[in-house]
Amino acid sequence: MAILKQFDELVVSSRPGQSGGPRLNEMRANSVRCLGPHGLHRMAYTEWGDPANPRVLVCVHGLTRNGRDFDVLANALASDYRVICPDIVGRGCSDRLFFPDDYALPTYANDIITLIARLGVESVHWLGTSMGGLIGMFLSSLPGSPISRMVLNDVGPLIALEALQRIGEYLGKAPDFADLGEAEAYVRTVCAPFGALTDAQWRFMTVVGTRPKASGGFEMNYDRAIALPYQKAFLEAKEISLWPMYDAIRCPTMVLRGAQSDILLHDTAVEMTGRGPRAKLVEIPAVGHAPMFLEESQVRVVQDFLLADPG
């Protein structure tokens, strides 16, 4: 299968409904209607590869990002999988919720089960970055889980208070931007732990991570109100410990850790190899929170683990 090797040549202007940039493989935009605590909402997703392929990979993004983060990885794996990259509600092209407290794990998990039912498959492979990994841990810990193989990207069952506070310093506080140049400067600052990306890669992360405003300019492509339940759930805690959930996971699991991550500490990642699903651990050098799969080496690690499953 072809890995996208000349990323620097990619001119990203491929928002849904826009033209002018190259199509990446077979990307298709779709959505599914989901039921939340206070009514219906629409969850958008992008889909890659053969829609008849029974082998499905679901890729779920981090707290303030969206499914377009996986464009490069999805393009690389589309020959082997039907790759599904949802925008968790409140992000990307998905609906914003009227009640901020509904931005919570039960809503997200219910939406994903609705999505899997739409796909018409009994099991899926899972790649979850940060928040997406937490959703994956929750679903894979349940009896009868549809997740049969999982990659946890820079997240685990123990998250330190200092990391939660760092995220809280910028969550929901992003300014509006006059143009993409201003937006990129902001993204380079708050997303510095992603590592030493190229200029083209930073522009990609900016384009897919922002959206145009009706009044002109740009804003980050998530509902600022997601900060409210985050503050209630996390910032009042000393740390987040989900070891009982992790210990209930039975599917083959790999954990990726940015070697400089403050979200997933090294000792926690090592402990994950000895309990629960006894995850395989791979550390990505010169990256913090989190690896973003814009480099061929990162894509290859995921590819090799997932495709080791003959099912």
Side-chain angles (χ1 to χ4, degrees):
M1 66 208 66
I3 299 288
L4 188 62
K5 295 181 177 176
Q6 297 298 325
F7 190 90
D8 289 344
E9 298 178 1
L10 176 63
V11 179
V12 182
S13 58
S14 53
R15 300 177 190 276
Q18 288 189 335
S19 59
R23 283 179 63 89
L24 295 181
N25 204 341
E26 301 175 0
M27 185 177 68
R28 302 175 298 279
N30 211 329
S31 66
V32 61
R33 188 173 299 166
C34 304
L35 179 62
H38 294 94
L40 297 169
H41 57 266
R42 186 180 61 89
M43 182 171 68
Y45 61 94
T46 55
E47 180 175 354
W48 305 71
D50 182 356
N53 189 346
R55 195 173 200 176
V56 172
L57 171 63
V58 178
C59 302
V60 183
H61 57 82
L63 182 64
T64 64
R65 300 296 304 180
N66 61 73
R68 295 296 308 282
D69 283 357
F70 298 103
D71 278 5
V72 173
L73 182 140
N75 180 63
L77 271 63
S79 297
D80 297 281
Y81 284 100
R82 180 185 180 189
V83 187
I84 306 296
C85 306
D87 294 344
I88 296 299
V89 67
R91 291 85 169 171
C93 295
S94 292
D95 286 346
R96 276 45 176 165
L97 298 179
F98 185 77
F99 294 94
D101 284 348
D102 292 348
Y103 290 127
L105 184 59
T107 301
Y108 305 153
N110 185 70
D111 289 357
I112 291 295
I113 292 299
T114 301
L115 172 62
I116 293 174
R118 156 70 70 84
L119 300 176
V121 293
E122 292 297 318
S123 67
V124 300
H125 287 183
W126 185 276
L127 168 58
T129 295
S130 195
M131 179 188 73
L134 294 177
I135 299 169
M137 280 199 295
F138 172 69
L139 289 174
S140 61
S141 71
L142 300 176
S145 172
I147 298 176
S148 61
R149 197 168 185 89
M150 179 168 63
V151 177
L152 299 174
N153 183 29
D154 210 63
V155 69
L158 190 66
I159 302 175
L161 176 62
E162 292 79 5
L164 299 174
Q165 291 175 332
R166 176 180 63 80
I167 294 171
E169 289 176 357
Y170 70 81
L171 182 62
K173 301 175 183 177
D176 293 338
F177 311 105
D179 52 39
L180 279 176
E182 284 188 9
E184 183 176 330
Y186 175 83
V187 170
R188 284 177 181 251
T189 298
V190 299
C191 299
F194 290 174
L197 305 184
T198 67
D199 289 346
Q201 290 167 341
W202 279 121
R203 179 52 60 103
F204 169 80
M205 298 305 295
T206 301
V207 170
V208 301
T210 62
R211 65 176 182 175
K213 291 172 58 68
S215 57
F218 295 85
E219 63 182 353
M220 296 304 294
N221 201 0
Y222 69 89
D223 186 354
R224 290 182 174 94
I226 67 173
L228 301 177
Y230 178 90
Q231 292 166 353
K232 293 179 183 178
F234 296 145
L235 297 187
E236 296 174 1
K238 293 184 178 180
E239 64 180 12
I240 301 300
S241 180
L242 301 172
W243 282 114
M245 179 188 298
Y246 181 79
D247 288 339
I249 297 170
R250 294 293 178 264
C251 67
T253 300
M254 179 172 70
V255 58
L256 296 182
R257 177 179 180 267
Q260 301 170 358
S261 176
D262 61 347
I263 291 289
L264 178 58
L265 300 181
H266 176 76
D267 288 350
T268 301
V270 170
E271 187 171 356
M272 293 170 72
T273 68
R275 57 190 290 184
R278 299 181 181 273
K280 175 183 179 180
L281 171 61
V282 177
E283 292 194 304
I284 307 298
V287 177
H289 183 75
M292 295 306 293
F293 310 111
L294 302 179
E295 302 291 341
E296 182 171 355
S297 59
Q298 295 178 18
V299 172
R300 185 69 67 185
V301 169
V302 172
Q303 191 175 47
D304 290 347
F305 174 77
L306 292 177
L307 295 179
D309 178 16

